[in-house]
Amino acid sequence: MKKKLGLMVTAMLTAGTILAGCGNSEEGKSGGDAKKDFKVAMVTDTGGVDDKSFNQSAWEGLTKFGKDNSLEENKGYKYLQSTAQSDYKPNLNSLIRQKYDLVFGIGFLMGTDVETVAKQQPDAKLAIVDMVVKGDNVANITFSEHEGSFLVGLIAGMQTTSNKVGFVGGVNSELIKKFENGFKAGVKTANPDAEILVQYAEDFNKAEKGQQIANTFYEQGADIIYHAAGGTGMGVFTEAKNRKKNGEDVWVIGVDRDQHEEGMPENVTLTSMVKRVDQAVYEVSEQTAAGKFPGGKVVEFGLKQDGVGIAPTQDNVEKDALKSVEDYKKKIIDGEVKVPKTDAEFEEFVKNLK
């Protein structure tokens, strides 16, 4: 039996509303609840469906939902790939015209277009990942990325041998700042003397830029780099693997999915901060098919809901670091530790470290 995420659902301006019907179920069991003719689709951002990160995770969740409910690919479930931001709105409208019952916009960069289409198509049901937009016909899926990033920050702080680590971000935004500040807080909690290098590529789909930044960081003495940069982050892996081949002991911390394989065969993935976009997409699809579309609500996935955390592949993580992860996971869930999301919150967090 596979453990499902619990949903924390908040009305747009009302806290504490819980979406009903989110109990555990065996894989494939939900097929009997879904409408036979239910159709669901998603629009990728410019990273594409095979970005080995965010979009790919969403498509894996949609594919699993489709198979569990005996839907035919490209008819009962499908995706449209965006090669530029100008593709977002046409792709969303295309899927609505094709009578898909639920259409996901994958990524906060689609926020404006999802909101516009939702207003223009009031009968359509839309969902957006990593953004909150207005509209009773939009389900907003968010994650506590800062909490998961804190845990991998603990690992980086404990396992760095150079006392210098790096963070590579995609687009400098409120969302990616959550990754950055959660990570920095974890590093400083474990190792107050560690130096943290930070740079943004301002793109989620430029591997060459990610490699360039990683080269700079490793040259400056960082031995561990955490990326939250989508396809740009693939360049961080490339640089680390090249250096490992030359005998350097450097590491990458992956994001969104378990990116252990991206570090092979050189074995440079220390761990990954997993963000269960796949399960979020699956569960919102399941709820909608059962007539419980969470329109106008925020569906939040954090540590408490198993929506974020560290990857199951933990071969390169030391036992002491894993113990620290478990200890702080409990403290965060219990409210003893409040992980910062913003620069200002991080500065306050550091001041209060004992």
mmCIF file of all heavy atoms in Angstrom, residues 45-47 51-55 108-109 167-172 175-176 179-180 199-211 213 225-237 252-256 259 273:
data_model
loop_
_atom_site.group_PDB
_atom_site.id
_atom_site.type_symbol
_atom_site.label_atom_id
_atom_site.label_comp_id
_atom_site.label_asym_id
_atom_site.label_seq_id
_atom_site.Cartn_x
_atom_site.Cartn_y
_atom_site.Cartn_z
ATOM 1 N N ASP A 45 5.452 24.220 -18.309
ATOM 2 C CA ASP A 45 6.109 25.495 -18.551
ATOM 3 C C ASP A 45 7.235 25.247 -19.554
ATOM 4 O O ASP A 45 7.314 24.175 -20.156
ATOM 5 C CB ASP A 45 6.577 26.154 -17.244
ATOM 6 C CG ASP A 45 7.739 25.448 -16.567
ATOM 7 O OD1 ASP A 45 8.342 24.535 -17.165
ATOM 8 O OD2 ASP A 45 8.056 25.814 -15.413
ATOM 9 N N THR A 46 8.101 26.202 -19.745
ATOM 10 C CA THR A 46 9.102 26.085 -20.814
ATOM 11 C C THR A 46 10.166 25.037 -20.535
ATOM 12 O O THR A 46 10.928 24.684 -21.427
ATOM 13 C CB THR A 46 9.785 27.445 -21.054
ATOM 14 O OG1 THR A 46 10.342 27.926 -19.823
ATOM 15 C CG2 THR A 46 8.780 28.464 -21.584
ATOM 16 N N GLY A 47 10.213 24.510 -19.304
ATOM 17 C CA GLY A 47 11.178 23.457 -19.004
ATOM 18 C C GLY A 47 10.865 22.154 -19.727
ATOM 19 O O GLY A 47 11.753 21.347 -19.980
ATOM 20 N N ASP A 51 11.978 17.439 -18.181
ATOM 21 C CA ASP A 51 13.016 18.272 -17.546
ATOM 22 C C ASP A 51 13.707 17.581 -16.376
ATOM 23 O O ASP A 51 14.575 18.150 -15.736
ATOM 24 C CB ASP A 51 12.431 19.607 -17.071
ATOM 25 C CG ASP A 51 11.360 19.460 -15.986
ATOM 26 O OD1 ASP A 51 10.990 18.316 -15.656
ATOM 27 O OD2 ASP A 51 10.887 20.493 -15.473
ATOM 28 N N LYS A 52 13.303 16.328 -16.087
ATOM 29 C CA LYS A 52 13.870 15.535 -14.986
ATOM 30 C C LYS A 52 13.644 16.217 -13.646
ATOM 31 O O LYS A 52 14.353 15.981 -12.675
ATOM 32 C CB LYS A 52 15.360 15.254 -15.203
ATOM 33 C CG LYS A 52 15.671 14.564 -16.526
ATOM 34 C CD LYS A 52 17.139 14.227 -16.654
ATOM 35 C CE LYS A 52 17.471 13.713 -18.051
ATOM 36 N NZ LYS A 52 16.720 12.510 -18.411
ATOM 37 N N SER A 53 12.652 17.068 -13.586
ATOM 38 C CA SER A 53 12.385 17.833 -12.377
ATOM 39 C C SER A 53 10.891 18.075 -12.234
ATOM 40 O O SER A 53 10.093 17.137 -12.213
ATOM 41 C CB SER A 53 13.173 19.156 -12.433
ATOM 42 O OG SER A 53 13.044 19.892 -11.254
ATOM 43 N N PHE A 54 10.501 19.329 -12.180
ATOM 44 C CA PHE A 54 9.159 19.772 -11.812
ATOM 45 C C PHE A 54 8.076 19.296 -12.782
ATOM 46 O O PHE A 54 7.095 18.661 -12.394
ATOM 47 C CB PHE A 54 9.213 21.295 -11.745
ATOM 48 C CG PHE A 54 7.989 21.951 -11.227
ATOM 49 C CD1 PHE A 54 7.737 21.993 -9.877
ATOM 50 C CD2 PHE A 54 7.092 22.558 -12.086
ATOM 51 C CE1 PHE A 54 6.602 22.632 -9.383
ATOM 52 C CE2 PHE A 54 5.969 23.194 -11.603
ATOM 53 C CZ PHE A 54 5.724 23.229 -10.251
ATOM 54 N N ASN A 55 8.237 19.623 -14.059
ATOM 55 C CA ASN A 55 7.241 19.241 -15.059
ATOM 56 C C ASN A 55 7.134 17.726 -15.203
ATOM 57 O O ASN A 55 6.041 17.173 -15.331
ATOM 58 C CB ASN A 55 7.594 19.847 -16.422
ATOM 59 C CG ASN A 55 7.400 21.343 -16.467
ATOM 60 O OD1 ASN A 55 6.288 21.833 -16.612
ATOM 61 N ND2 ASN A 55 8.493 22.086 -16.342
ATOM 62 N N PHE A 108 4.544 28.568 -11.450
ATOM 63 C CA PHE A 108 4.071 29.905 -11.086
ATOM 64 C C PHE A 108 4.156 30.886 -12.241
ATOM 65 O O PHE A 108 3.434 31.893 -12.278
ATOM 66 C CB PHE A 108 4.862 30.440 -9.879
ATOM 67 C CG PHE A 108 6.270 30.867 -10.178
ATOM 68 C CD1 PHE A 108 6.565 32.188 -10.447
ATOM 69 C CD2 PHE A 108 7.300 29.942 -10.183
ATOM 70 C CE1 PHE A 108 7.872 32.595 -10.713
ATOM 71 C CE2 PHE A 108 8.613 30.331 -10.446
ATOM 72 C CZ PHE A 108 8.894 31.665 -10.719
ATOM 73 N N LEU A 109 5.018 30.618 -13.241
ATOM 74 C CA LEU A 109 5.132 31.520 -14.373
ATOM 75 C C LEU A 109 3.840 31.577 -15.189
ATOM 76 O O LEU A 109 3.636 32.493 -15.982
ATOM 77 C CB LEU A 109 6.288 31.075 -15.288
ATOM 78 C CG LEU A 109 7.698 31.175 -14.682
ATOM 79 C CD1 LEU A 109 8.722 30.575 -15.631
ATOM 80 C CD2 LEU A 109 8.055 32.620 -14.354
ATOM 81 N N PHE A 167 24.112 27.763 -3.463
ATOM 82 C CA PHE A 167 22.721 27.625 -3.887
ATOM 83 C C PHE A 167 22.567 28.254 -5.259
ATOM 84 O O PHE A 167 22.912 29.433 -5.457
ATOM 85 C CB PHE A 167 21.759 28.313 -2.912
ATOM 86 C CG PHE A 167 20.329 28.327 -3.396
ATOM 87 C CD1 PHE A 167 19.506 27.223 -3.224
ATOM 88 C CD2 PHE A 167 19.812 29.448 -4.062
ATOM 89 C CE1 PHE A 167 18.204 27.224 -3.695
ATOM 90 C CE2 PHE A 167 18.507 29.461 -4.529
ATOM 91 C CZ PHE A 167 17.709 28.342 -4.343
ATOM 92 N N VAL A 168 22.054 27.484 -6.220
ATOM 93 C CA VAL A 168 21.784 27.988 -7.563
ATOM 94 C C VAL A 168 20.274 28.026 -7.764
ATOM 95 O O VAL A 168 19.601 26.986 -7.730
ATOM 96 C CB VAL A 168 22.433 27.098 -8.646
ATOM 97 C CG1 VAL A 168 22.075 27.623 -10.037
ATOM 98 C CG2 VAL A 168 23.940 27.051 -8.470
ATOM 99 N N GLY A 169 19.729 29.223 -7.985
ATOM 100 C CA GLY A 169 18.297 29.379 -8.207
ATOM 101 C C GLY A 169 17.987 29.581 -9.670
ATOM 102 O O GLY A 169 18.841 30.011 -10.457
ATOM 103 N N GLY A 170 16.765 29.280 -10.062
ATOM 104 C CA GLY A 170 16.321 29.532 -11.426
ATOM 105 C C GLY A 170 15.990 31.003 -11.578
ATOM 106 O O GLY A 170 16.873 31.840 -11.745
ATOM 107 N N VAL A 171 14.704 31.353 -11.487
ATOM 108 C CA VAL A 171 14.282 32.751 -11.562
ATOM 109 C C VAL A 171 14.156 33.304 -10.139
ATOM 110 O O VAL A 171 13.520 32.691 -9.286
ATOM 111 C CB VAL A 171 12.935 32.877 -12.295
ATOM 112 C CG1 VAL A 171 12.418 34.310 -12.256
ATOM 113 C CG2 VAL A 171 13.076 32.398 -13.742
ATOM 114 N N ASN A 172 14.763 34.438 -9.898
ATOM 115 C CA ASN A 172 14.690 35.074 -8.576
ATOM 116 C C ASN A 172 13.256 35.530 -8.342
ATOM 117 O O ASN A 172 12.765 36.471 -8.983
ATOM 118 C CB ASN A 172 15.652 36.262 -8.510
ATOM 119 C CG ASN A 172 15.818 36.782 -7.100
ATOM 120 O OD1 ASN A 172 14.951 36.610 -6.261
ATOM 121 N ND2 ASN A 172 16.959 37.409 -6.841
ATOM 122 N N LEU A 175 8.820 32.443 -4.858
ATOM 123 C CA LEU A 175 8.826 30.982 -4.733
ATOM 124 C C LEU A 175 10.229 30.437 -4.509
ATOM 125 O O LEU A 175 10.486 29.708 -3.546
ATOM 126 C CB LEU A 175 8.222 30.333 -5.973
ATOM 127 C CG LEU A 175 8.355 28.807 -6.014
ATOM 128 C CD1 LEU A 175 7.516 28.147 -4.939
ATOM 129 C CD2 LEU A 175 7.995 28.262 -7.388
ATOM 130 N N ILE A 176 11.167 30.780 -5.374
ATOM 131 C CA ILE A 176 12.507 30.203 -5.274
ATOM 132 C C ILE A 176 13.245 30.748 -4.057
ATOM 133 O O ILE A 176 14.136 30.087 -3.512
ATOM 134 C CB ILE A 176 13.305 30.432 -6.575
ATOM 135 C CG1 ILE A 176 12.503 29.918 -7.772
ATOM 136 C CG2 ILE A 176 14.644 29.703 -6.517
ATOM 137 C CD1 ILE A 176 12.110 28.433 -7.684
ATOM 138 N N PHE A 179 13.046 28.239 -1.299
ATOM 139 C CA PHE A 179 14.081 27.215 -1.368
ATOM 140 C C PHE A 179 15.392 27.746 -0.781
ATOM 141 O O PHE A 179 16.043 27.085 0.023
ATOM 142 C CB PHE A 179 14.337 26.795 -2.824
ATOM 143 C CG PHE A 179 13.247 26.013 -3.489
ATOM 144 C CD1 PHE A 179 12.198 26.643 -4.128
ATOM 145 C CD2 PHE A 179 13.293 24.621 -3.511
ATOM 146 C CE1 PHE A 179 11.214 25.920 -4.775
ATOM 147 C CE2 PHE A 179 12.313 23.885 -4.162
ATOM 148 C CZ PHE A 179 11.265 24.535 -4.785
ATOM 149 N N GLU A 180 15.774 28.942 -1.246
ATOM 150 C CA GLU A 180 17.049 29.527 -0.819
ATOM 151 C C GLU A 180 17.111 29.741 0.685
ATOM 152 O O GLU A 180 18.056 29.309 1.355
ATOM 153 C CB GLU A 180 17.272 30.866 -1.530
ATOM 154 C CG GLU A 180 18.534 31.575 -1.076
ATOM 155 C CD GLU A 180 18.578 33.043 -1.463
ATOM 156 O OE1 GLU A 180 17.956 33.432 -2.479
ATOM 157 O OE2 GLU A 180 19.230 33.809 -0.729
ATOM 158 N N GLN A 199 23.501 32.384 -6.216
ATOM 159 C CA GLN A 199 23.374 33.062 -7.501
ATOM 160 C C GLN A 199 22.162 32.513 -8.243
ATOM 161 O O GLN A 199 21.857 31.325 -8.171
ATOM 162 C CB GLN A 199 24.633 32.890 -8.366
ATOM 163 C CG GLN A 199 24.598 33.740 -9.633
ATOM 164 C CD GLN A 199 25.921 33.741 -10.371
ATOM 165 O OE1 GLN A 199 26.969 33.450 -9.810
ATOM 166 N NE2 GLN A 199 25.878 34.074 -11.649
ATOM 167 N N TYR A 200 21.482 33.415 -8.968
ATOM 168 C CA TYR A 200 20.320 33.038 -9.773
ATOM 169 C C TYR A 200 20.672 33.089 -11.260
ATOM 170 O O TYR A 200 21.351 34.007 -11.718
ATOM 171 C CB TYR A 200 19.146 33.975 -9.491
ATOM 172 C CG TYR A 200 18.453 33.663 -8.177
ATOM 173 C CD1 TYR A 200 18.984 34.107 -6.963
ATOM 174 C CD2 TYR A 200 17.288 32.911 -8.148
ATOM 175 C CE1 TYR A 200 18.366 33.814 -5.755
ATOM 176 C CE2 TYR A 200 16.659 32.604 -6.949
ATOM 177 C CZ TYR A 200 17.203 33.056 -5.759
ATOM 178 O OH TYR A 200 16.596 32.745 -4.565
ATOM 179 N N ALA A 201 20.181 32.095 -11.992
ATOM 180 C CA ALA A 201 20.430 32.037 -13.435
ATOM 181 C C ALA A 201 19.423 32.876 -14.209
ATOM 182 O O ALA A 201 19.646 33.201 -15.374
ATOM 183 C CB ALA A 201 20.353 30.589 -13.918
ATOM 184 N N GLU A 202 18.294 33.212 -13.566
ATOM 185 C CA GLU A 202 17.178 33.926 -14.184
ATOM 186 C C GLU A 202 16.591 33.151 -15.365
ATOM 187 O O GLU A 202 16.068 33.733 -16.309
ATOM 188 C CB GLU A 202 17.586 35.343 -14.614
ATOM 189 C CG GLU A 202 17.944 36.247 -13.448
ATOM 190 C CD GLU A 202 16.839 36.371 -12.391
ATOM 191 O OE1 GLU A 202 15.675 36.089 -12.714
ATOM 192 O OE2 GLU A 202 17.151 36.729 -11.239
ATOM 193 N N ASP A 203 16.677 31.836 -15.278
ATOM 194 C CA ASP A 203 16.099 30.962 -16.306
ATOM 195 C C ASP A 203 16.019 29.556 -15.740
ATOM 196 O O ASP A 203 16.906 29.140 -14.991
ATOM 197 C CB ASP A 203 16.973 30.965 -17.568
ATOM 198 C CG ASP A 203 16.214 30.505 -18.801
ATOM 199 O OD1 ASP A 203 15.801 29.325 -18.825
ATOM 200 O OD2 ASP A 203 16.026 31.312 -19.726
ATOM 201 N N PHE A 204 14.949 28.848 -16.099
ATOM 202 C CA PHE A 204 14.808 27.466 -15.645
ATOM 203 C C PHE A 204 15.220 26.458 -16.718
ATOM 204 O O PHE A 204 15.072 25.258 -16.524
ATOM 205 C CB PHE A 204 13.359 27.183 -15.243
ATOM 206 C CG PHE A 204 12.943 27.826 -13.951
ATOM 207 C CD1 PHE A 204 12.034 28.874 -13.943
ATOM 208 C CD2 PHE A 204 13.470 27.394 -12.746
ATOM 209 C CE1 PHE A 204 11.638 29.468 -12.748
ATOM 210 C CE2 PHE A 204 13.092 27.989 -11.542
ATOM 211 C CZ PHE A 204 12.176 29.023 -11.553
ATOM 212 N N ASN A 205 15.711 26.955 -17.842
ATOM 213 C CA ASN A 205 15.962 26.039 -18.957
ATOM 214 C C ASN A 205 17.278 26.328 -19.664
ATOM 215 O O ASN A 205 17.363 26.239 -20.886
ATOM 216 C CB ASN A 205 14.796 26.124 -19.953
ATOM 217 C CG ASN A 205 14.733 24.922 -20.875
ATOM 218 O OD1 ASN A 205 15.108 23.815 -20.502
ATOM 219 N ND2 ASN A 205 14.264 25.147 -22.088
ATOM 220 N N LYS A 206 18.315 26.697 -18.896
ATOM 221 C CA LYS A 206 19.628 26.963 -19.487
ATOM 222 C C LYS A 206 20.700 26.192 -18.730
ATOM 223 O O LYS A 206 21.334 26.708 -17.806
ATOM 224 C CB LYS A 206 19.941 28.462 -19.477
ATOM 225 C CG LYS A 206 19.180 29.245 -20.535
ATOM 226 C CD LYS A 206 19.703 30.659 -20.656
ATOM 227 C CE LYS A 206 18.994 31.398 -21.791
ATOM 228 N NZ LYS A 206 19.444 32.813 -21.897
ATOM 229 N N ALA A 207 20.895 24.951 -19.130
ATOM 230 C CA ALA A 207 21.872 24.088 -18.455
ATOM 231 C C ALA A 207 23.272 24.693 -18.492
ATOM 232 O O ALA A 207 24.045 24.556 -17.537
ATOM 233 C CB ALA A 207 21.870 22.697 -19.086
ATOM 234 N N GLU A 208 23.587 25.371 -19.592
ATOM 235 C CA GLU A 208 24.924 25.958 -19.718
ATOM 236 C C GLU A 208 25.159 27.037 -18.667
ATOM 237 O O GLU A 208 26.276 27.203 -18.174
ATOM 238 C CB GLU A 208 25.151 26.511 -21.133
ATOM 239 C CG GLU A 208 24.303 27.701 -21.532
ATOM 240 C CD GLU A 208 22.909 27.349 -22.031
ATOM 241 O OE1 GLU A 208 22.491 26.184 -21.872
ATOM 242 O OE2 GLU A 208 22.246 28.264 -22.570
ATOM 243 N N LYS A 209 24.104 27.768 -18.320
ATOM 244 C CA LYS A 209 24.220 28.794 -17.284
ATOM 245 C C LYS A 209 24.401 28.147 -15.916
ATOM 246 O O LYS A 209 25.200 28.607 -15.097
ATOM 247 C CB LYS A 209 22.964 29.679 -17.292
ATOM 248 C CG LYS A 209 22.994 30.813 -16.281
ATOM 249 C CD LYS A 209 24.040 31.858 -16.604
ATOM 250 C CE LYS A 209 23.911 33.052 -15.678
ATOM 251 N NZ LYS A 209 24.969 34.060 -15.912
ATOM 252 N N GLY A 210 23.679 27.055 -15.686
ATOM 253 C CA GLY A 210 23.838 26.334 -14.428
ATOM 254 C C GLY A 210 25.241 25.782 -14.274
ATOM 255 O O GLY A 210 25.833 25.831 -13.185
ATOM 256 N N GLN A 211 25.807 25.274 -15.372
ATOM 257 C CA GLN A 211 27.170 24.749 -15.319
ATOM 258 C C GLN A 211 28.176 25.863 -15.050
ATOM 259 O O GLN A 211 29.132 25.689 -14.288
ATOM 260 C CB GLN A 211 27.522 24.037 -16.632
ATOM 261 C CG GLN A 211 28.896 23.380 -16.596
ATOM 262 C CD GLN A 211 29.169 22.517 -17.813
ATOM 263 O OE1 GLN A 211 28.339 22.389 -18.711
ATOM 264 N NE2 GLN A 211 30.352 21.903 -17.848
ATOM 265 N N ILE A 213 27.674 28.712 -13.402
ATOM 266 C CA ILE A 213 27.593 29.129 -11.993
ATOM 267 C C ILE A 213 28.241 28.085 -11.092
ATOM 268 O O ILE A 213 28.982 28.417 -10.163
ATOM 269 C CB ILE A 213 26.128 29.361 -11.580
ATOM 270 C CG1 ILE A 213 25.519 30.517 -12.385
ATOM 271 C CG2 ILE A 213 26.038 29.664 -10.078
ATOM 272 C CD1 ILE A 213 24.020 30.682 -12.191
ATOM 273 N N ILE A 225 26.555 21.907 -3.719
ATOM 274 C CA ILE A 225 25.672 22.910 -4.313
ATOM 275 C C ILE A 225 24.247 22.358 -4.358
ATOM 276 O O ILE A 225 24.012 21.248 -4.851
ATOM 277 C CB ILE A 225 26.106 23.296 -5.740
ATOM 278 C CG1 ILE A 225 27.493 23.952 -5.727
ATOM 279 C CG2 ILE A 225 25.081 24.239 -6.381
ATOM 280 C CD1 ILE A 225 28.036 24.256 -7.118
ATOM 281 N N TYR A 226 23.313 23.134 -3.849
ATOM 282 C CA TYR A 226 21.887 22.815 -3.934
ATOM 283 C C TYR A 226 21.296 23.653 -5.057
ATOM 284 O O TYR A 226 21.470 24.872 -5.090
ATOM 285 C CB TYR A 226 21.212 23.153 -2.603
ATOM 286 C CG TYR A 226 19.705 23.004 -2.547
ATOM 287 C CD1 TYR A 226 19.034 21.959 -3.173
ATOM 288 C CD2 TYR A 226 18.940 23.927 -1.812
ATOM 289 C CE1 TYR A 226 17.662 21.822 -3.083
ATOM 290 C CE2 TYR A 226 17.562 23.788 -1.707
ATOM 291 C CZ TYR A 226 16.924 22.745 -2.344
ATOM 292 O OH TYR A 226 15.559 22.609 -2.247
ATOM 293 N N HIS A 227 20.597 23.012 -5.976
ATOM 294 C CA HIS A 227 19.968 23.783 -7.050
ATOM 295 C C HIS A 227 18.452 23.708 -6.949
ATOM 296 O O HIS A 227 17.880 22.679 -6.595
ATOM 297 C CB HIS A 227 20.440 23.285 -8.431
ATOM 298 C CG HIS A 227 19.618 22.165 -9.001
ATOM 299 N ND1 HIS A 227 18.491 22.384 -9.773
ATOM 300 C CD2 HIS A 227 19.753 20.818 -8.906
ATOM 301 C CE1 HIS A 227 17.972 21.219 -10.133
ATOM 302 N NE2 HIS A 227 18.713 20.258 -9.621
ATOM 303 N N ALA A 228 17.810 24.828 -7.252
ATOM 304 C CA ALA A 228 16.359 24.888 -7.415
ATOM 305 C C ALA A 228 16.139 25.634 -8.715
ATOM 306 O O ALA A 228 15.738 26.795 -8.736
ATOM 307 C CB ALA A 228 15.703 25.596 -6.239
ATOM 308 N N ALA A 229 16.499 24.965 -9.816
ATOM 309 C CA ALA A 229 16.601 25.664 -11.093
ATOM 310 C C ALA A 229 16.072 24.878 -12.279
ATOM 311 O O ALA A 229 16.348 25.234 -13.429
ATOM 312 C CB ALA A 229 18.072 26.043 -11.336
ATOM 313 N N GLY A 230 15.312 23.804 -12.023
ATOM 314 C CA GLY A 230 14.747 23.043 -13.134
ATOM 315 C C GLY A 230 15.814 22.526 -14.071
ATOM 316 O O GLY A 230 16.838 21.978 -13.655
ATOM 317 N N GLY A 231 15.595 22.716 -15.386
ATOM 318 C CA GLY A 231 16.542 22.246 -16.392
ATOM 319 C C GLY A 231 17.902 22.916 -16.280
ATOM 320 O O GLY A 231 18.920 22.325 -16.643
ATOM 321 N N THR A 232 17.938 24.149 -15.779
ATOM 322 C CA THR A 232 19.216 24.841 -15.568
ATOM 323 C C THR A 232 20.091 24.054 -14.596
ATOM 324 O O THR A 232 21.319 24.021 -14.722
ATOM 325 C CB THR A 232 18.961 26.260 -15.037
ATOM 326 O OG1 THR A 232 18.222 26.997 -16.019
ATOM 327 C CG2 THR A 232 20.258 26.990 -14.744
ATOM 328 N N GLY A 233 19.454 23.397 -13.649
ATOM 329 C CA GLY A 233 20.185 22.614 -12.663
ATOM 330 C C GLY A 233 20.917 21.413 -13.243
ATOM 331 O O GLY A 233 21.849 20.891 -12.612
ATOM 332 N N MET A 234 20.513 20.975 -14.438
ATOM 333 C CA MET A 234 21.223 19.854 -15.065
ATOM 334 C C MET A 234 22.676 20.222 -15.344
ATOM 335 O O MET A 234 23.552 19.363 -15.344
ATOM 336 C CB MET A 234 20.521 19.430 -16.356
ATOM 337 C CG MET A 234 19.131 18.819 -16.156
ATOM 338 S SD MET A 234 19.102 17.382 -15.059
ATOM 339 C CE MET A 234 18.490 18.119 -13.537
ATOM 340 N N GLY A 235 22.916 21.515 -15.553
ATOM 341 C CA GLY A 235 24.287 21.964 -15.771
ATOM 342 C C GLY A 235 25.136 21.862 -14.515
ATOM 343 O O GLY A 235 26.358 21.666 -14.593
ATOM 344 N N VAL A 236 24.499 21.982 -13.358
ATOM 345 C CA VAL A 236 25.222 21.814 -12.092
ATOM 346 C C VAL A 236 25.710 20.373 -11.982
ATOM 347 O O VAL A 236 26.852 20.114 -11.593
ATOM 348 C CB VAL A 236 24.324 22.184 -10.895
ATOM 349 C CG1 VAL A 236 25.086 21.992 -9.579
ATOM 350 C CG2 VAL A 236 23.831 23.631 -11.014
ATOM 351 N N PHE A 237 24.847 19.438 -12.346
ATOM 352 C CA PHE A 237 25.251 18.031 -12.336
ATOM 353 C C PHE A 237 26.394 17.774 -13.316
ATOM 354 O O PHE A 237 27.348 17.058 -12.999
ATOM 355 C CB PHE A 237 24.061 17.131 -12.697
ATOM 356 C CG PHE A 237 23.106 16.911 -11.559
ATOM 357 C CD1 PHE A 237 21.914 17.606 -11.492
ATOM 358 C CD2 PHE A 237 23.402 16.003 -10.551
ATOM 359 C CE1 PHE A 237 21.023 17.405 -10.441
ATOM 360 C CE2 PHE A 237 22.526 15.791 -9.495
ATOM 361 C CZ PHE A 237 21.333 16.495 -9.439
ATOM 362 N N VAL A 252 26.218 17.494 -5.429
ATOM 363 C CA VAL A 252 25.036 18.269 -5.808
ATOM 364 C C VAL A 252 23.859 17.772 -4.972
ATOM 365 O O VAL A 252 23.733 16.570 -4.728
ATOM 366 C CB VAL A 252 24.685 18.087 -7.305
ATOM 367 C CG1 VAL A 252 23.467 18.942 -7.667
ATOM 368 C CG2 VAL A 252 25.870 18.428 -8.186
ATOM 369 N N ILE A 253 23.010 18.694 -4.546
ATOM 370 C CA ILE A 253 21.736 18.334 -3.930
ATOM 371 C C ILE A 253 20.644 18.631 -4.951
ATOM 372 O O ILE A 253 20.508 19.770 -5.408
ATOM 373 C CB ILE A 253 21.479 19.113 -2.623
ATOM 374 C CG1 ILE A 253 22.536 18.726 -1.577
ATOM 375 C CG2 ILE A 253 20.076 18.822 -2.087
ATOM 376 C CD1 ILE A 253 22.430 19.513 -0.281
ATOM 377 N N GLY A 254 19.914 17.586 -5.341
ATOM 378 C CA GLY A 254 18.873 17.732 -6.352
ATOM 379 C C GLY A 254 17.597 18.323 -5.793
ATOM 380 O O GLY A 254 17.481 18.615 -4.599
ATOM 381 N N VAL A 255 16.605 18.473 -6.684
ATOM 382 C CA VAL A 255 15.361 19.134 -6.278
ATOM 383 C C VAL A 255 14.157 18.521 -6.987
ATOM 384 O O VAL A 255 14.290 17.949 -8.079
ATOM 385 C CB VAL A 255 15.449 20.649 -6.578
ATOM 386 C CG1 VAL A 255 15.237 20.926 -8.064
ATOM 387 C CG2 VAL A 255 14.472 21.463 -5.739
ATOM 388 N N ASP A 256 13.018 18.626 -6.347
ATOM 389 C CA ASP A 256 11.707 18.206 -6.861
ATOM 390 C C ASP A 256 11.528 16.693 -6.918
ATOM 391 O O ASP A 256 10.583 16.154 -6.384
ATOM 392 C CB ASP A 256 11.404 18.811 -8.233
ATOM 393 C CG ASP A 256 11.236 20.319 -8.182
ATOM 394 O OD1 ASP A 256 10.911 20.838 -7.093
ATOM 395 O OD2 ASP A 256 11.441 20.974 -9.206
ATOM 396 N N GLN A 259 16.907 12.908 -7.598
ATOM 397 C CA GLN A 259 17.798 13.080 -8.751
ATOM 398 C C GLN A 259 19.108 12.296 -8.609
ATOM 399 O O GLN A 259 20.123 12.656 -9.192
ATOM 400 C CB GLN A 259 18.068 14.580 -8.968
ATOM 401 C CG GLN A 259 16.822 15.337 -9.412
ATOM 402 C CD GLN A 259 17.110 16.743 -9.888
ATOM 403 O OE1 GLN A 259 17.881 17.488 -9.285
ATOM 404 N NE2 GLN A 259 16.476 17.133 -10.990
ATOM 405 N N MET A 273 15.923 17.262 -2.469
ATOM 406 C CA MET A 273 14.734 17.732 -1.767
ATOM 407 C C MET A 273 13.540 17.385 -2.667
ATOM 408 O O MET A 273 13.346 17.992 -3.719
ATOM 409 C CB MET A 273 14.793 19.234 -1.519
ATOM 410 C CG MET A 273 13.781 19.731 -0.470
ATOM 411 S SD MET A 273 12.054 19.747 -0.997
ATOM 412 C CE MET A 273 12.006 21.251 -1.953
#
